[in-house]
Amino acid sequence: MSKVHRPSVARDVAKLAGVSQSAVSRAFTPGASISAKTREKVLKAAKQLTYRPNIVARSLITRRSRIIGVSMTRLDQFNPHLLEVLNVRLRAHGYGTMIFVIDPTHDADLVLDDALQRQVDGFILASTRPSAAFVKECNSVGIPVILLNRYSDERTIHSVTGDDIGGSRAIARFLMEGGHKSYAFIAGQSDSSTSKRREAGYTEELGRHGVKDVMKVTGDYTWEGACIAARELLSKPDRPDAIFCASDYMALAALEVARHEFSLSIPEDLSIVGFGDVVAAAWPSYSLTTYSNPVDRLVDEIVRILIDIFSKGGQKGGKHEQAIVSGQLVVRESARIPAPARETGTGA
Amino acid sequence: MSKVHRPSVARDVAKLAGVSQSAVSRAFTPGASISAKTREKVLKAAKQLTYRPNIVARSLITRRSRIIGVSMTRLDQFNPHLLEVLNVRLRAHGYGTMIFVIDPTHDADLVLDDALQRQVDGFILASTRPSAAFVKECNSVGIPVILLNRYSDERTIHSVTGDDIGGSRAIARFLMEGGHKSYAFIAGQSDSSTSKRREAGYTEELGRHGVKDVMKVTGDYTWEGACIAARELLSKPDRPDAIFCASDYMALAALEVARHEFSLSIPEDLSIVGFGDVVAAAWPSYSLTTYSNPVDRLVDEIVRILIDIFSKGGQKGGKHEQAIVSGQLVVRESARIPAPARETGTGA
């Protein structure tokens, strides 16, 4: 890169501010011990000289890149608001966010290898399943790996999820209170732990109340997949009058098919419920009843786990957390509302 | 960070593969000269030793971080699909993507300073306006800055945009061919160059055909802002029968207000058109007529400009590109279709 002027270095700033070079370094280190007055002097001099500490050079000394890798298969199905909140919160702790979008038909480890070359301090994996070998390697070098909205029974990895089972039970109860006759479930990808847990909570709760037959089709978490699944269900002679979809995105698609292809009234002819409470769920054309996955608290948990590990010098062996963040039933207009309980939150 | 085992280094790989350390380095450098056979030997040995080149250490030598900073104010208004395509394309060229979400009420330069500390090789700024001082500094150290979907008349910065003026002219012609009587525009933020250009194309084309009075209200690019703007327009005694919104997102909001609060039939009572062709524009409940901003070609232009500059060793003075990517009119059902031309693309 052609440098037209020599960039200022810490020495220049220390000289102008009349402090030590170590004070300059501490002024730019989040959490370092330095008086407010000294810090102010340094920042003023730094501004005057347009000095910026070289985080890259520092990372070679501290062995901390201060970068968190965030990986997902599809960004538009990932909650962009969550990525935004995560980015702002991580920055407040001095961490940058590097994203790694993974083609679901390719080997996730190839992309994650790229992230390791970049010496990320931690990984957040959404809709990505790393190999056991990869997880083992991260653990051996002390890099924490957190699955987001994906649950792992192997206790070699952290996970932060919404309340898949509790939420799905609440949805089942709400639908039963609405007096439906026939229940269906549109599942996500077949290997999705999240979809399996949502299905389990739903069918178990229905089963506890005597509803044993639940139709199930797979929508693959995609718009098109959910449309095909909805068509299959609604073409049946004994079509369901209540459909729970493993994601809001699939519920929106199912709603479109029901309304525009089968001319069904929602919720008079058919109740549709999602999971997540994405932004579009609140748009009047959908007004989707759903169970929320609260973004702020999911991010709180992720940041808490990471910062806790970093403060201890990295992931050291044993403890891996399985954090579950509870949400709430968000009652809108896409599902029949039980007569005696016409307010948001009841039935949860 | 606690290392449980010593990570393999290039020396180990060279020894196992029976090649020089320089060959190991070249095998991991995109575009470096090396025979396919040697490269294969190196990769095999590297795999065996789970060796990964340390991109961070290398970046101190090459003065290239191989990181591109991408900055935006709101991620959910940013096109997530564009970020996804950009991430995959940049990675194919050996570049990582670091995101910097900026609170619009804060000083963008503070966040961009953070990015400079991380030694990014280039900046892509969407919905972010850097200060002139910041741009000057980037230019002086050879870091290219590209505005995305934001146009700059100052020739000190690159920009890649959709065809705001041509697209808005096409929309104006399409609405006039539909025989509307009264036209309105819902603008984005008042300082948005993109909104100004979309407004200019629309009003100039209408003006050329004798339509001089165009109602204008500001929707601020937000959902709530667009709802307020639509309510204002539709409450007028002389309410418009054609509304062009500076973004698809605002057009969806306006459509909801028209349909659910004013019980208007779309497009019989009112035509609504957006700009961008986001994913939700195609959802049947909206079926939004719009002008496309083709993601793949916007990304093509960004990557072309960056790689061209990097191949020359950085941004050296003078030339800044203003790339405009043309899209096409996407005719759906939210605006009246001119009688003789009932196919997609006509009117453009």
Side-chain angles (χ1 to χ4, degrees):
Chain A
M1 202 170 290
S2 71
K3 300 269 173 180
V4 180
H5 67 60
R6 176 179 78 80
S8 302
V9 295
R11 206 167 45 239
D12 306 326
V13 177
K15 202 173 158 191
L16 180 63
V19 302
S20 68
Q21 260 184 255
S22 146
V24 174
S25 167
R26 288 198 311 279
F28 285 100
T29 305
S33 158
I34 185 168
S35 75
K37 201 177 152 194
T38 308
R39 185 160 188 275
E40 198 181 311
K41 267 198 236 170
V42 171
L43 295 184
K44 198 178 151 194
K47 187 161 187 181
Q48 208 171 319
L49 297 169
T50 61
Y51 162 80
R52 289 189 185 83
N54 183 333
I55 294 185
V56 178
R58 184 179 291 173
S59 76
L60 277 184
I61 299 160
T62 60
R63 311 198 69 165
R64 290 279 191 88
S65 65
R66 289 200 161 263
I67 294 176
I68 305 299
V70 182
S71 163
M72 67 289 283
T73 48
R74 290 286 303 273
L75 244 173
D76 50 0
Q77 285 163 42
F78 188 80
N79 188 333
H81 181 54
L82 194 147
L83 186 55
E84 179 180 325
V85 174
L86 185 64
N87 179 249
V88 171
R89 293 285 310 279
L90 287 175
R91 188 162 60 236
H93 285 278
Y95 287 86
T97 309
M98 204 176 248
I99 60 168
F100 298 88
V101 178
I102 294 179
D103 181 334
T105 63
H106 282 57
D107 183 358
D109 280 11
L110 285 178
V111 176
L112 298 178
D113 265 9
D114 181 33
L116 280 184
Q117 289 183 27
R118 293 184 174 277
Q119 316 285 314
V120 298
D121 285 345
F123 271 119
I124 299 164
L125 307 184
S127 60
T128 304
R129 181 185 286 276
S131 70
F134 178 84
V135 172
K136 196 173 161 198
E137 190 181 348
C138 287
N139 283 338
S140 80
V141 294
I143 298 175
V145 179
I146 301 180
L147 296 186
L148 169 60
N149 280 334
R150 190 147 200 167
Y151 187 86
S152 173
D153 277 325
E154 311 151 44
R155 301 261 158 175
T156 56
I157 197 162
H158 302 271
S159 69
V160 175
T161 66
D163 189 2
D164 298 316
I165 290 182
S168 304
R169 285 187 185 281
I171 286 166
R173 284 194 299 275
F174 180 76
L175 289 172
M176 284 185 287
E177 287 163 14
H180 294 86
K181 293 195 179 59
S182 167
Y183 298 82
F185 179 69
I186 297 185
Q189 274 153 299
S190 55
D191 66 341
S192 159
S193 61
T194 304
S195 178
K196 280 181 198 157
R197 287 161 64 82
R198 292 177 187 172
E199 179 181 353
Y202 180 63
T203 55
E204 282 166 22
E205 188 71 13
L206 289 173
R208 279 206 319 128
H209 292 83
V211 179
K212 303 290 180 199
D213 288 327
V214 179
M215 294 173 235
K216 177 188 165 182
V217 280
T218 297
D220 217 30
Y221 281 138
T222 65
W223 185 274
E224 199 42 56
C227 287
I228 293 168
R231 277 178 208 124
E232 186 184 329
L233 286 174
L234 298 177
S235 303
K236 286 179 191 287
D238 58 336
R239 66 153 205 259
D241 61 350
I243 302 178
F244 169 40
C245 303
S247 76
D248 277 359
Y249 192 67
M250 292 199 296
L252 300 181
L255 224 149
E256 294 280 13
V257 166
R259 205 177 261 159
H260 296 278
E261 297 180 24
F262 289 81
S263 303
L264 297 178
S265 288
I266 311 292
E268 293 77 8
D269 302 329
L270 172 68
S271 290
I272 295 179
V273 181
F275 201 111
D277 198 22
V278 300
V279 170
W283 293 353
S285 288
Y286 301 111
S287 192
L288 186 71
T289 291
T290 184
Y291 187 89
S292 65
N293 241 358
V295 163
D296 283 322
R297 282 162 54 217
L298 288 169
V299 171
D300 280 350
E301 287 299 301
I302 292 170
V303 172
R304 180 186 61 72
I305 293 173
L306 286 176
I307 299 303
D308 184 49
I309 291 168
F310 296 150
S311 73
K312 291 174 185 154
Q315 178 72 47
K316 289 179 180 163
K319 202 187 161 212
H320 288 86
E321 293 197 43
Q322 259 72 40
I324 293 176
V325 172
S326 60
Q328 61 177 349
L329 192 66
V330 180
V331 177
R332 295 201 182 91
E333 296 161 34
S334 69
R336 214 182 292 165
I337 297 178
R342 295 192 171 267
E343 308 156 28
T344 298
T346 43
Chain B
M1 200 169 291
S2 72
K3 300 271 174 179
V4 181
H5 66 62
R6 177 180 78 80
S8 303
V9 294
R11 204 169 46 240
D12 306 326
V13 178
K15 203 174 157 192
L16 181 63
V19 301
S20 67
Q21 260 185 256
S22 145
V24 174
S25 167
R26 289 199 310 279
F28 285 99
T29 305
S33 158
I34 184 167
S35 75
K37 199 177 154 194
T38 307
R39 186 160 187 276
E40 198 180 312
K41 266 198 236 168
V42 171
L43 295 185
K44 197 178 154 197
K47 188 160 185 181
Q48 209 171 318
L49 298 169
T50 62
Y51 162 80
R52 291 188 184 83
N54 183 334
I55 294 185
V56 179
R58 184 179 290 173
S59 76
L60 277 183
I61 300 161
T62 59
R63 311 199 68 164
R64 289 277 191 90
S65 65
R66 290 202 161 260
I67 294 175
I68 306 298
V70 182
S71 163
M72 67 291 283
T73 49
R74 290 286 303 273
L75 243 174
D76 50 0
Q77 286 163 42
F78 188 82
N79 189 334
H81 181 54
L82 194 146
L83 186 55
E84 179 180 325
V85 174
L86 185 63
N87 179 250
V88 171
R89 292 287 309 279
L90 286 175
R91 188 164 58 236
H93 285 278
Y95 287 86
T97 309
M98 204 177 248
I99 60 167
F100 298 89
V101 178
I102 295 179
D103 181 334
T105 63
H106 283 57
D107 184 357
D109 280 12
L110 284 177
V111 176
L112 298 178
D113 266 10
D114 181 33
L116 280 183
Q117 289 183 28
R118 292 185 175 277
Q119 317 287 315
V120 299
D121 285 345
F123 271 119
I124 299 164
L125 307 183
S127 60
T128 304
R129 180 184 288 275
S131 70
F134 177 85
V135 172
K136 197 174 157 196
E137 190 182 346
C138 287
N139 283 337
S140 79
V141 294
I143 297 175
V145 180
I146 302 181
L147 297 186
L148 169 61
N149 280 336
R150 189 146 200 166
Y151 188 85
S152 174
D153 277 327
E154 312 150 44
R155 301 262 158 174
T156 57
I157 199 162
H158 302 272
S159 70
V160 175
T161 68
D163 189 2
D164 298 314
I165 292 183
S168 304
R169 286 186 186 282
I171 287 166
R173 284 194 299 275
F174 180 75
L175 289 172
M176 284 185 288
E177 287 163 14
H180 293 86
K181 293 194 177 61
S182 169
Y183 298 82
F185 178 69
I186 297 185
Q189 273 155 301
S190 55
D191 65 342
S192 157
S193 61
T194 304
S195 178
K196 281 181 196 157
R197 289 161 62 82
R198 291 175 188 174
E199 180 182 352
Y202 180 63
T203 56
E204 282 167 21
E205 188 71 13
L206 290 172
R208 280 205 318 128
H209 293 84
V211 179
K212 302 291 182 197
D213 289 326
V214 178
M215 294 173 237
K216 176 188 166 183
V217 280
T218 296
D220 220 28
Y221 281 138
T222 65
W223 185 273
E224 199 41 56
C227 286
I228 294 168
R231 279 177 207 125
E232 187 184 328
L233 286 173
L234 298 177
S235 303
K236 285 179 192 286
D238 59 335
R239 67 152 206 259
D241 60 350
I243 302 179
F244 168 40
C245 302
S247 75
D248 277 359
Y249 192 65
M250 293 200 294
L252 300 182
L255 223 149
E256 294 279 13
V257 167
R259 205 176 262 161
H260 296 277
E261 298 180 24
F262 289 82
S263 303
L264 297 178
S265 288
I266 310 292
E268 294 76 9
D269 302 328
L270 173 68
S271 290
I272 294 180
V273 181
F275 200 110
D277 198 22
V278 300
V279 170
W283 293 353
S285 288
Y286 301 111
S287 191
L288 186 70
T289 293
T290 185
Y291 187 90
S292 65
N293 243 359
V295 162
D296 283 322
R297 281 162 55 218
L298 288 169
V299 172
D300 281 349
E301 287 299 300
I302 291 170
V303 172
R304 181 185 60 73
I305 292 172
L306 285 176
I307 299 303
D308 184 48
I309 291 167
F310 296 150
S311 73
K312 291 172 184 154
Q315 179 71 47
K316 290 179 177 162
K319 200 185 163 214
H320 288 85
E321 293 197 42
Q322 259 73 40
I324 293 176
V325 172
S326 60
Q328 61 176 351
L329 193 65
V330 181
V331 177
R332 296 199 183 93
E333 294 161 35
S334 69
R336 215 181 291 163
I337 297 177
R342 294 191 169 265
E343 310 157 27
T344 298
T346 42

